[in-house]
Amino acid sequence: MTTAPGSLPGSPPPPAADHHGQRVLILGASLLQVPMIRRARDLGMRPVVVDMDPAAPGVCLAEEFHAVSTNDIDTVLDVARAHDIHGVATVGTDMPVRTIAAVAQALGLPGVSPTTALTCTDKAVMAQAFADASLPHPAFRTVSGMAELEEAVAQIGLPCILKPLDSSGSRGVIQVSSADQLPTALDYTRRVTRDVSPSGQVLVEELLTGPEISCEVLCIAGTAHVVALTDKATTGAPHFIETGHTQPAVLDAPTTAAVTSLVQDTVEATGITDGPAHIEMILTSTGPRLVELGARMAGDFVASHLVPLTTGVDFIGLVLRQACGEPIDPPMPRPQGGAVRFLDAPQGTLVSFRGLTQAHGLPGVREVLPLARAGQRIGGLHSSTDRVGVVIAQGKDHDDAARICEAARNLITVEVQP
């Protein structure tokens, strides 16, 4: 069983407001953007939506839809001008952030600057910004080939991490633990890098160890307001694909203070003064250290689904209103427990899901969403796009929500034909 994408059963809808038919350009129409499109309509806005996929689930909710890539800055700008939009926004993906910046600058709308957008979407520029601001961050080098990679590893040490400069969802990320793995790892990362970067450059980073968290943030006039802190679970080495999220993160008071301070320093270093930010950190033995950030709301159903459940904050509504130039008050979270857990499957052809109805029937389960369809080829878990389903649950606290979500996930069987 599934609920309507973006709905949260059992939670009353936030009150609607009259925004006088403001036209807001929303970049993306996937499941992650559906709640933003719905919320725009709830607020009395008129969502103009662009996505390269005319069959995306948010298309039917748009007042106006254009089958345009969110990365096609010139065409998206033409759409924005044609509709005389009042604001531009997205949720859950880095891909459109440079487009948002370009549209905002060209039309005089609220939004990050093109410089900030580049800093937050090019991992080498981002790492350098962290270093320039003396923020705690892994040692790094940018390399173009095997000789440079060997030099970088000699300085950084093993194990280390290789990443594409311009990608997300763990695509192309791999841990290298020994020198003989370097050629294969470089080829693995560069297969993604070549898709997005003609230079073929790769980021090499020191491996950080410790629990991973993310910080869901709303910046207002230069002040970073932490809406939620999220415990993250991953597959670990070699690809570190996220398998679940739980809120609120379980942190002691000194760690919370250190994280909050680092959040403020990070948005200042990257130039985010207004709008959302999603900041990832590792809690090392020497304190929190940055992994990376996005100048946008989190993906993985965290900002769109989990944050409203666990905080009571209309995060998406605040971002939309801010994008349209409306003054907003700082969010006032009221923490509860919430969890997201993903389904994966072995390699083969997806036949069916069993147990969806039983999983959805557990008290506290809010959504059960397949992310793949029967007949689809499953190639194993190499990036976030390889996950085949998601369960979202609410509980009285962190542990309760995790228990409910994992119990629901364990009721589901993904049938795959080898």
Side-chain angles (χ1 to χ4, degrees):
M1 177 185 294
T2 65
T3 60
S7 64
L8 293 172
S11 301
D18 182 7
H19 285 264
H20 311 294
Q22 290 175 317
R23 288 173 296 278
V24 60
L25 178 62
I26 297 175
L27 304 188
S30 76
L31 277 177
L32 295 180
Q33 287 87 48
V34 163
M36 178 169 272
I37 301 169
R38 289 185 182 278
R39 187 62 184 132
R41 298 185 74 105
D42 290 342
L43 290 168
M45 296 176 179
R46 298 165 61 187
V48 179
V49 179
V50 298
D51 194 297
M52 67 186 302
D53 180 8
V59 171
C60 63
L61 301 172
E63 178 163 308
E64 296 281 349
F65 173 74
H66 295 265
V68 175
S69 168
T70 58
N71 289 335
D72 185 345
I73 292 176
D74 291 339
T75 306
V76 172
L77 186 52
D78 289 342
V79 171
R81 287 190 170 116
H83 290 282
D84 191 23
I85 64 164
H86 298 85
V88 55
T90 192
V91 56
T93 175
D94 282 322
M95 293 176 65
V97 170
R98 297 185 199 183
T99 305
I100 288 175
V103 170
Q105 182 184 59
L107 301 185
L109 300 173
V112 296
S113 70
T115 298
T116 292
L118 177 64
T119 300
C120 297
T121 55
D122 184 307
K123 290 180 172 58
V125 178
M126 182 189 305
Q128 190 60 53
F130 293 162
D132 291 344
S134 299
L135 300 179
H137 180 262
F140 71 96
R141 288 277 302 274
T142 303
V143 304
S144 298
M146 194 62 205
E148 290 183 348
L149 176 57
E150 290 173 339
E151 291 176 7
V153 169
Q155 290 188 348
I156 293 171
L158 291 171
C160 65
I161 302 290
L162 271 58
K163 296 179 179 179
L165 300 189
D166 185 2
S167 188
S168 59
S170 298
R171 290 180 68 238
V173 173
I174 188 167
Q175 177 178 317
V176 179
S177 299
S178 62
D180 63 319
Q181 295 174 347
L182 289 174
T184 301
L186 180 61
D187 182 64
Y188 176 83
T189 301
R190 292 189 73 175
R191 283 201 298 270
V192 174
T193 300
R194 281 192 290 267
D195 292 340
V196 295
S197 174
S199 71
Q201 289 187 315
V202 167
L203 187 69
V204 185
E205 286 188 336
E206 170 193 5
L207 175 67
L208 302 180
T209 58
E212 185 172 357
I213 66 167
S214 67
C215 312
E216 323 316 331
V217 179
L218 185 61
C219 300
I220 304 173
T223 298
H225 300 274
V226 176
V227 181
L229 298 175
T230 310
D231 278 330
K232 300 165 72 70
T234 77
T235 58
H239 302 304
F240 300 93
I241 300 153
E242 293 172 358
T243 58
H245 308 278
T246 311
Q247 292 177 351
V250 180
L251 307 178
D252 59 29
T255 303
T256 300
V259 165
T260 303
S261 177
L262 183 52
V263 164
Q264 181 65 45
D265 291 343
T266 303
V267 299
E268 290 177 4
T270 52
I272 305 173
T273 59
D274 291 276
H278 170 69
I279 303 174
E280 297 176 347
M281 304 180 186
I282 300 290
L283 305 179
T284 73
S285 59
T286 59
R289 296 176 70 183
L290 293 167
V291 177
E292 54 194 52
L293 89 158
R296 43 82 177 174
M297 305 171 78
D300 263 9
F301 301 88
V302 172
S304 57
H305 294 68
L306 196 57
V307 168
L309 279 179
T310 64
T311 68
V313 171
D314 180 17
F315 196 11
I316 288 177
L318 289 172
V319 169
L320 284 169
R321 289 163 51 199
Q322 191 179 39
C324 289
E326 179 181 336
I328 59 172
D329 293 325
M332 302 292 289
R334 300 186 302 277
Q336 300 181 63
V340 170
R341 294 294 185 270
F342 291 97
L343 308 175
D344 61 10
Q347 294 187 18
T349 300
L350 179 62
V351 176
S352 67
F353 294 90
R354 290 192 289 115
L356 297 180
T357 300
Q358 295 91 324
H360 199 277
L362 288 183
V365 173
R366 297 301 187 184
E367 297 220 29
V368 178
L369 296 172
L371 302 176
R373 62 188 182 278
Q376 183 173 328
R377 183 67 184 171
I378 307 299
L381 198 58
H382 300 286
S383 75
S384 295
T385 59
D386 296 322
R387 301 170 308 193
V388 299
V390 62
V391 178
I392 303 170
Q394 186 176 33
K396 64 179 184 293
D397 55 27
H398 173 286
D399 291 350
D400 189 45
R403 177 188 59 78
I404 293 167
C405 206
E406 288 162 11
R409 180 183 59 185
N410 292 340
L411 290 173
I412 301 170
T413 301
V414 184
E415 294 186 72
V416 173
Q417 181 178 356

